[in-house]
Amino acid sequence: MSIHLLPSEVSSQIAAGEVVERPASVVKELIENALDAGARHITITIEGAGQRLVEVADDGSGIPADELALAVTRHATSKLLSAEDLFSIKTLGFRGEALASIGSVARLTITSRHASPDDEDQRGAGGRLRVEAGISTPVEPVGAPVGTVVRVENLFYNLPARLKFLKAEVTERRQIDTLVTRYALAFPHVRFSLRQEGRPALQTSGNRDRREVLASLYGVEMARQMIEVLAKDESAAITGFISPPSLTRSNRREITFFVNGRPVQDSTLTAAVVQGYHSLLMVGRYPLAILFLELPPSTVDVNVHPTKAEVRFREPDRLFSAVQRAVRRVLLAHTPVPEITEQLRWTTPSRQPDPAWQMAGDEDQSTAINHSRSPLDGGLPSPLTASLPGSRAPLLRLIGQIASTYLVAEGPDGLYLIDQHAAHERVLFEKLMAQHGTHEKRENSEKRENVIPSQSLLQPVAVELPPANARLLSEQLPILTHLGFTVEPFGQATFLVRAVPALLAKLDPAAALHVLVEDFEEDETPLQAEIEARITARVCKRAAVKAGQVLSPEEQHALLTDLEACISPRTCPHGRPTMIHLPVDLLERQFGRKGAR
Ligand code: ADP
Ligand code: MG
């Protein structure tokens, strides 16, 4: 075929494909236009999961009738004049592409009436324009209230291939639900109503109460649990909600960001949130978060993606730490050392070592411990000397071991019970991660030494893994070396284990290798740092002293000292508490010395 210019309807369909991927993309563009027009009330109507109809009606400024034809022309916009304006954009739209794109892949009808100040009769000249397959009809005058109604019917009717790629209707509807709810959260002063298939799906009041909107996204109970973030420094204001460590998902999909009112996907910011939870979450679990970042427009380049879903930050590192710090700070304030409250009976039997979790691990443990609450929570009025939720462990004086499972210690403010397995897991985890960290830094300058004691096997053992796990393991061989493994690829999905960490010497090497990769879901692609943390946590779990294991006084002492030196001594790498605290105050109460008269 010789080179030729594409007919315009073909090139515009190609361009449209970048902007309009699915019904939710239409909804997104139309909502953004309404918001840019200053709407206070936006009504969205969906039929046939958005394929048959998307209608967005707003009470914004409207479009003058003589500009309607321009509005549906590609690269026509009222939001931008010069290239410099791109660096000070305050509107959500600016590319002038959405309406033109939608008009080339659907039947588009725009009815609008402009709010002109010199026109007293508000029901005067509105205009209506239809576009089909990119061809628009002349504007006809209609009576209409100030604002705009955009109807998009039969999306992709002229693109059968795209139609086939639409997901099941439930999926598309859920996408739209989530999208509208997120905008409602980002713009709490705007009233949103969404009707799907003739039924109300979302209605917000526009009274600026974000938690109320949150309830429609997650339900009342979850919304109540979400922790509010309010942080500000010179570079950014960060507000929104994050989940407490007890509320998690198996993937990162519920971590969302709005940057200057614009929904943005950014894996680095997502990683910053996850890191903010560092070691408070069980391995493989992720928080929920919806964060709103307000930055000076000049520090964000929004013009990097056709759907404007990605942006570039001028100071990404600074923003990363700002987000991570904001998350960390509110979390620490919400996850104190669990304290025993009066709700716990003294006769409650101590938790038996549970063989199920030693093996399968990682499942949530229900315990009889209540996280201390403030009186404002509606929980028990807290008479306890609230221990501040600082991250460091208090200085502890060892008293001894009970039930071959817990260490008993005295701290400055009462009695501490320490779960020896969880504590040891934490200690090992931080040691291994720290050693690994030094490796990274020295990588280029010095020759590596293996800092983790490793034990060679008398006979190398060949271990075969399922293909997906084998692939993962081959990518992770360098970490395994840091952890004290010597493992070589040995054919397609087989590995030769020559040495294991001394900590794991008692385990069957094949079992050890299996365990390391087992917990990764097949379709998941965690960030490298996270994979390392997860594999390391696995090794620690296996290597840590078990509940039921008698420790010598020296071992008990060493464990306490090591725990005190940890950065996050209060939880194990899977997020369970390592220690619980019985304040002196509580003891006094129980002995009738105080308060009980
Ligand atoms: P962009 O939003 O990038 O400018 P669009 O194709 O989405 O491009 O819209 C083109 C123009 O049409 C906008 O710049 C705006 O002037 C006008 N417009 C579109 N939708 C609305 C609306 N709901 N209310 C007022 N004006 C609108
Ligand atoms: Mg737009």
Side-chain angles (χ1 to χ4, degrees), residues 28-30 32-34 36 77 79 92-99 308:
K28 171 182 187 286
E29 293 297 336
L30 299 185
E32 291 197 344
N33 281 348
D36 281 346
T77 178
K79 303 172 191 175
L92 298 169
F94 58 86
R95 301 173 63 100
E97 278 189 325
L99 291 181
K308 299 159 284 179

Side-chain angles (χ1 to χ4, degrees), residues 487-525:
V487 179
E488 294 163 12
F490 187 65
Q492 277 280 309
T494 307
F495 296 86
L496 212 52
V497 184
R498 292 189 180 279
V500 294
L503 292 167
L504 295 185
K506 287 197 213 87
L507 280 188
D508 163 20
L513 211 53
H514 271 290
V515 160
L516 296 184
V517 286
E518 235 152 42
D519 65 327
F520 291 92
E521 289 169 31
E522 283 220 15
D523 61 338
E524 200 181 24
T525 48

Side-chain angles (χ1 to χ4, degrees), residues 208-319:
R208 295 170 192 273
D209 183 354
R210 278 188 171 153
R211 211 178 276 270
E212 192 186 295
V213 186
L214 209 57
S216 51
L217 183 61
Y218 296 129
V220 176
E221 180 47 33
M222 260 173 80
R224 199 185 56 77
Q225 286 183 42
M226 295 290 279
I227 306 170
E228 185 155 19
V229 178
L230 285 170
K232 198 177 171 128
D233 68 11
E234 330 69 79
S235 58
I238 304 166
T239 58
F241 296 92
I242 60 173
S243 60
S246 54
L247 191 63
T248 59
R249 291 282 186 267
S250 63
N251 55 57
R252 298 180 197 76
R253 255 168 267 150
E254 292 287 346
I255 304 177
T256 50
F257 296 94
F258 277 76
V259 175
N260 294 348
R262 193 188 294 287
V264 158
Q265 286 156 10
D266 189 294
S267 55
T268 313
L269 289 182
T270 306
V273 170
V274 174
Q275 276 200 17
Y277 281 78
H278 176 66
S279 78
L280 291 174
L281 295 183
M282 290 199 283
V283 175
R285 303 297 295 180
Y286 300 93
L288 297 85
I290 175 150
L291 292 177
F292 304 96
L293 279 54
E294 296 295 331
L295 314 176
S298 59
T299 66
V300 197
D301 184 357
V302 291
N303 187 28
V304 291
H305 195 272
T307 65
K308 299 159 284 179
E310 285 167 24
V311 297
R312 208 170 286 136
F313 300 109
R314 198 168 68 192
E315 297 182 305
D317 295 346
R318 191 158 167 190
L319 197 59

